[in-house]
Amino acid sequence: MFAEELYNKLRSVQNGTVLCQYSMENCERLVKLINEINELKKEKNTAILAHSYVAPEITFGVADYSGDSYQLSKNAMETSAQTIIFAAVEFMGETAKILNPNKRVLIPGANPGCSLAESITGEQIKKMKEQYPEHTFVCYINTTADVKAACDVCVTSSNVVKIVSKIPNDKIVFLPDKLMGENLKNELEKMGIKKELALHTGTCYVHEQYDPDLVKYFRIQNEGLQIVSHPECHPGVAMLSDFVGSTGQMLDYIRKLPEEHPILLLTECGLNARLQSELPNRRFIGSCSLCKYMKSNSLENILQTLKEPDKAKEVKLDATVLAAAKRCIDNMFAYCE
Ligand code: 13P
Ligand code: SF4
């Protein structure tokens, strides 16, 4: 790759702060790392998976696959590479390991947490099961392997409504995202489906920041505005949105929109960056929010992980937890067939 090529891809990215903007000098520095990573990953039979929220130089420069949680979990099963470097957060790396127990999965990020995954433990679920003995436990993919191992079905933001609507049991515990749970309740109600939903208290610290009153303000100020948001946002934001979906579904929706609509995209800045690069003539208004966990991945720590994998970055799971968590994820795939 040449610096000009990278610069042409990234020159339209301008959300967040000036730190998110790319100069030719910046691209000249990045492209050296990109070329070194791309050489080394071939030599070492390694695939790089990247969530759309990581920095765009990773998505456009070195990723073999990039997408939403559901798509990436499928890509993790597709790749023939023996090692997977997952530029995202820990629960995504764990999912890749659960689906590929014989592969080596490494997470390069320095701080690969997630406020949702950290909001609940497997032990808590065991106690909740005493409180809700007749309920089906549905967990969002943004949970640890321990939590998945204690639940019945896993869902992602792309299939949560579809799966919960198909579950025969009317009593459901949905966890850990309270806001996604409230959005789910509203969607089921619109479909005329009656379910008794018990929720946990977790939130995504990035998406909960969006305020319905501010969204209304943008709507009034911008004629023809299309508001697109993630289901981790507040229900007041979801209700004002023209489209609510996973990161992959939001990409598809915006790609198909007629050019004249200005767009307010309420999610992590990485997705805005992908779209600003891909659709430089579209008008994206407002600002986005950064996830410190996703942004702890960098070309530098990917290169370091390729050169000399640090043991602490390798995903290791207890065999019993892995098998139970796999059952929970396999149930998701079965509902999606
Ligand atoms: P997606 O599954 O929509 O990619 O979401 C993952 C995530 O962490 C959103 O904050
Ligand atoms: Fe977790 Fe929110 Fe970051 Fe997604 S954006 S990884 S839900 S903290």
Side-chain angles (χ1 to χ4, degrees), residues 53 89 114-116 142 204-207 232 291 293-294:
Y53 289 166
V89 287
C114 166
S115 65
L116 278 170
N142 294 36
C204 162
Y205 91 105
V206 175
H207 290 91
E232 289 167 11
C291 172
Y293 306 114
M294 289 286 189

Side-chain angles (χ1 to χ4, degrees), residues 113-152:
C114 166
S115 65
L116 278 170
E118 284 156 20
S119 73
I120 194 159
T121 63
E123 280 307 308
Q124 278 172 277
I125 312 270
K126 285 178 196 153
K127 289 202 183 98
M128 284 169 83
K129 284 194 160 169
E130 289 165 18
Q131 198 185 343
Y132 298 105
E134 291 175 2
H135 285 58
T136 297
F137 277 64
V138 179
C139 62
Y140 186 28
I141 197 163
N142 294 36
T143 45
T144 62
D146 273 353
V147 167
K148 290 185 182 79
C151 288
D152 301 301

